């Protein structure tokens, strides 16, 4: 299987393209992850807007370079604005990222809502192994937002989900696996503290959207985000000891890429 790292010219080039293009990226996410998600995008030069205020969900997707929707936005929003944002993105032809956080953890009504968003044709679906296995129709194994499977366990489910939906599917873990259903690539690296910082996975969805705004090929854009995140996490981990300083250093290291 092909591996992609930050050393691949396409990855550094993609981050440089975000900086040069300064794309507007609109997102719906949960209040826990919003701050880090915005800072991750700002660190690489994108311009984020987050939230479902008034008619944001129906208006902003048409003018955005890309959109990301973390379905835990339902924590503080009703379902309709979330659906409206997905619908508006599809209608405008704006690429968008679906992060089905906690799907498959046993909340039946929530799981049905998440599955309904697939009708609006996300460009990329990213999540952990349990989430993506459940979304693909496999056994529900998640514990809340935490996975009980390794990323390698979910490669087959991710490939099936990609073929069924037409989306690029990205499984996060010690090694990330990205697939369009035909081509599957591995992105190694990162730091274990990504699993210990609230919103770190959610923020990766935001970064994927930032890359989708400027990188034409969706699989390449997804690899750009994952490989950049992995190297920034490694560099942050090398110079910090605790999880709080790691979170700050992660944003710092992203801000130093391709400058």
């Amino acid at each position: 299987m092909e591996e992609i790292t930050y050393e691949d010219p396409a990855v550094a080039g993609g981050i440089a393209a975000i900086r040069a293009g300064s794309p507007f990226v609109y997102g719906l996410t949960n209040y826990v992850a919003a701050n880090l998600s915005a800072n991750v995008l700002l660190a690489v030069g994108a311009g984020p807007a987050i939230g479902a205020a008034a008619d944001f969900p129906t208006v902003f997707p048409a003018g955005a370079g890309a959109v990301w929707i973390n379905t835990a936005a339902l924590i503080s929003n009703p379902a309709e604005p979330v659906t409206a944002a997905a619908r508006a993105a599809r209608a405008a032809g704006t690429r968008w990222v679906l992060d089905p956080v906690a799907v498959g953890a046993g909340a039946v009504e929530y799981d049905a809502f998440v599955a309904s968003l697939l009708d609006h044709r996300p460009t990329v679906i990213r999540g952990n192994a349990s989430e993506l296995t459940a979304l693909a129709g496999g056994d529900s194994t998640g514990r809340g937002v935490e996975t009980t499977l390794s990323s390698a366990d979910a490669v087959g489910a991710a490939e099936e989900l990609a073929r069924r939906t037409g989306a690029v599917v990205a499984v996060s873990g010690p090694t990330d696996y990205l697939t369009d259903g035909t081509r599957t690539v591995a992105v190694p690296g990162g730091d274990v503290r990504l699993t210990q910082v609230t919103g770190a996975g959610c923020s990766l969805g935001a970064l994927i959207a930032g890359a989708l705004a400027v990188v034409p090929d969706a699989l390449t854009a997804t690899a750009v985000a994952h490989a950049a995140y992995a190297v920034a996490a490694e560099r942050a981990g090398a110079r910090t000891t605790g999880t709080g300083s790691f979170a700050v250093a992660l944003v710092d290291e992203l801000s130093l890429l391709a400058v």
Side-chain angles (χ1 to χ4, degrees):
M1 183 184 296
E2 178 187 0
E3 284 192 352
I4 293 180
T5 70
Y6 190 72
E7 302 307 314
D8 188 308
V11 177
I15 296 299
I18 298 173
R19 292 201 188 285
S22 301
F24 167 46
V25 184
Y26 174 59
L28 292 177
T29 190
N30 60 82
Y31 59 81
V32 176
N35 184 70
L36 183 58
S37 297
N39 283 336
V40 162
L41 283 168
L42 289 167
V44 297
I50 299 175
D55 54 354
F56 282 14
T58 57
V59 173
F60 281 3
V67 170
W68 90 98
I69 296 174
N70 179 312
T71 53
L74 293 180
I75 292 171
S76 51
N77 295 283
E80 177 50 33
V82 180
T83 301
R87 184 188 303 120
R90 183 183 183 188
T94 302
R95 295 160 134 196
W96 71 280
V97 180
L98 173 62
D99 186 341
V101 61
V103 73
V108 176
E109 183 179 350
Y110 174 79
D111 287 0
F113 173 76
V114 173
S116 76
L117 293 178
L118 296 177
D119 294 339
H120 301 290
R121 306 288 293 179
T123 311
V124 177
I125 304 168
R126 70 128 329 253
N128 66 39
S130 289
E131 291 162 350
L132 295 177
T133 297
L135 196 58
D139 291 337
S140 299
T141 62
R143 291 193 301 253
V145 299
E146 302 300 328
T147 185
T148 60
L149 301 174
S150 73
S151 51
D153 292 333
V155 172
E159 291 171 339
E160 189 281 327
L161 183 62
R163 287 190 288 268
R164 175 159 58 88
T165 62
V168 169
V169 177
V171 189
S172 295
T175 296
D176 300 335
Y177 295 96
L178 325 175
T179 182
D180 60 8
T182 300
R183 180 186 175 207
T184 300
V185 300
V187 179
D191 188 283
V192 69
R193 280 168 286 181
L194 286 171
T195 66
Q196 300 164 352
V197 171
T198 300
C202 305
S203 300
L204 177 55
L207 185 57
I208 294 169
L212 282 175
V214 297
V215 177
D217 179 71
L219 182 59
T220 301
T222 306
V224 165
H226 279 256
Y229 214 60
V231 75
E234 288 174 352
R235 293 173 181 178
R239 63 182 180 86
T240 58
T241 54
T243 57
S245 58
F246 172 79
V248 174
L250 174 66
V251 176
D252 283 346
E253 292 297 340
L254 284 167
S255 76
L256 297 172
L257 296 178
V259 295

